[in-house]
Amino acid sequence: MKHIVLILSLICAVALNGFAQQAPPDSQKYNFTVADCVNYAYEHQHDVKNANLDVESAGYHVKETIGQGLPQISGAASFQDYLKTPSIIFPDFISGPVYGILNKQHVVDSATNKVISGTPPASNGKANTVSFQQNYNTNIGFTINQILFDPNYIVGLQASKTYKELYTRSYTRSKIEVNVNITKAYYQVLVSAEQLKLLEANVNELKQQVDETTARNKQGFVEKIDVDRITVQYNSLVTNWENTKRLIVLNYELLKFQMGMPVNKELTLKDKLEDIKLEASIADAVNDTSIYHNRIEYNLLETQKKLNEYDLKSKRGQFLPKLTAVANYSIANQNNSFGQLFSSNYPSSYVGLNLSIPLFTGWQHLNQVKQSKITVLKSQNDLDDMKNTVNLQVDQARISYINGLQTLNDQKKNMALAAEVLRVAKIKYEQGVGSSIEVTQAQTDLQQADNTYIQGLYDALVSKVDLDKAYGRIK
């Protein structure tokens, strides 16, 4: 019983110690600028990580291509136990000459006392079989092959650098896309926070009006319908305010998702809206028709065209001969007794050259070359189309940005005017020369101006990101 208690005590102690040593929950808080969010995504976002792995894999592919030109050494070993050795059928080419010689020597057949005829007696129909194989056989050896001249290998070496460049640029494209998505999501959170501030200010102001109107109704200065009208407006505004607070939580989660950060982590934003520079001079810049050289999409098509040209060279190389060197060394063992199998061995070796010259392949190689030529032409067409596409995207982004700035400035003015109209309407209502409907309408107009300003602010910020992407400024 004492032993049982001791064992249970030890088990409990180990369990408690293991529980105490468990890692504490990750309570780290992140306070990021938009640049911090982008850098975090470069290390944690799914697409970027996979694109980086593709670059690493492309490096191994290049080494694989180089390895094809190094000596290729292979070994082989075999063992056979012939339960029944194979035989080879031989014609009877001995009896005829032997009987001919005996006839010429006048040799007498003792059975007949006559000279042996020069023709052998008729065959009994049985084939003569001979076996050259032993019951037990082993063979151990290795072979070395070395490419001396292979056009496909030479072109493969030339294309290996371009092949890796393709995946490196794909990695850059993934980073740019993540940068754009994160920046827009970051701005969405900032704009939602600004919207929440405006709504909170309107809620507080409208709550004051509800209290004042209710008090005046109790004193008999305003009718009950005025209280109900402004209360309806207040309730609607509070609902909008609460909905916006919930949407901000969702916007934060969307930003963290774009970053590759677990959505349950705590993230706060360091940048402010006033820190973002919206400059009209950027939008008014003259469009550069050669801007497509800064776009990763165009660079990817250039790289793809290079690979297609290398493929064409490889197809043309199929008409050239291929030369390889080969060397072999092997040891064979044969015996009818397994115990004596390795008592003796029979080594063999050779060196040689293999020359392969394509003479006629049914026009296959010629048609493959023509197909590769067409692929190169299509690549050039894609490049020409991309130039036109980039120029169009730059014009669209530039005009959208100019319009966004103009709209934003107008909405700022409208928001200030709506606030002034509400102020005057409240004064008139308090002095008894205005109606509650006028105040309610002014309040509604201010809320509408605020919402339009928020939308215009987000559109201007997004159009700035699109403009930077169109000009190839995001790397």
Side-chain angles (χ1 to χ4, degrees), residues 20 161 379:
K161 182 178 179 181
S379 299

Side-chain angles (χ1 to χ4, degrees), residues 132-134 136-141 328-336 340-349:
F132 295 98
Q133 193 68 52
Q134 302 294 307
Y136 301 100
N137 299 267
T138 65
N139 191 289
I140 301 175
N328 175 272
Y329 180 82
S330 62
I331 298 176
N333 301 90
Q334 298 180 1
N335 205 292
N336 285 325
Q340 300 296 322
L341 177 60
F342 297 100
S343 60
S344 60
N345 56 71
Y346 308 94
S348 64
S349 62

Side-chain angles (χ1 to χ4, degrees), residues 18 26 44 56 98 110 214 247 256-257 297 299 303 308 325 453:
D26 185 7
H44 300 87
E56 185 178 353
V98 169
S110 59
T214 302
L247 285 176
K256 288 183 281 188
F257 175 79
E297 295 87 350
N299 296 332
T303 306
N308 292 336
Y453 166 75

Side-chain angles (χ1 to χ4, degrees), residues 346-365:
Y346 308 94
S348 64
S349 62
Y350 66 86
V351 294
L353 296 174
N354 292 326
L355 179 64
S356 173
I357 303 176
L359 298 178
F360 180 71
T361 59
W363 312 112
Q364 293 183 51
H365 292 170

Side-chain angles (χ1 to χ4, degrees), residues 38-55 167 170-179 182 258-260:
V38 170
N39 291 330
Y40 182 94
Y42 288 165
E43 297 181 3
H44 300 87
Q45 210 274 344
H46 172 267
D47 293 335
V48 177
K49 290 169 63 178
N50 281 349
N52 191 27
L53 290 175
D54 287 338
V55 174
Y167 284 94
S170 295
Y171 174 53
T172 302
R173 180 179 61 180
S174 298
K175 293 172 65 176
I176 291 175
E177 292 298 328
V178 166
N179 190 323
I182 288 177
Q258 296 285 0
M259 295 167 54

Side-chain angles (χ1 to χ4, degrees), residues 98-109:
V98 169
Y99 276 87
I101 294 173
L102 294 176
N103 180 266
K104 289 181 180 181
Q105 296 297 326
H106 302 285
V107 177
V108 177
D109 186 352

Side-chain angles (χ1 to χ4, degrees), residues 289-315:
T289 56
S290 63
I291 201 67
Y292 48 82
H293 288 296
N294 296 330
R295 291 287 296 271
I296 189 62
E297 295 87 350
Y298 185 84
N299 296 332
L300 276 169
L301 289 177
E302 283 184 318
T303 306
Q304 186 60 58
K305 181 186 175 184
K306 290 180 182 178
L307 287 177
N308 292 336
E309 290 172 345
Y310 281 123
D311 182 68
L312 175 59
K313 291 178 63 176
S314 176
K315 293 296 191 299

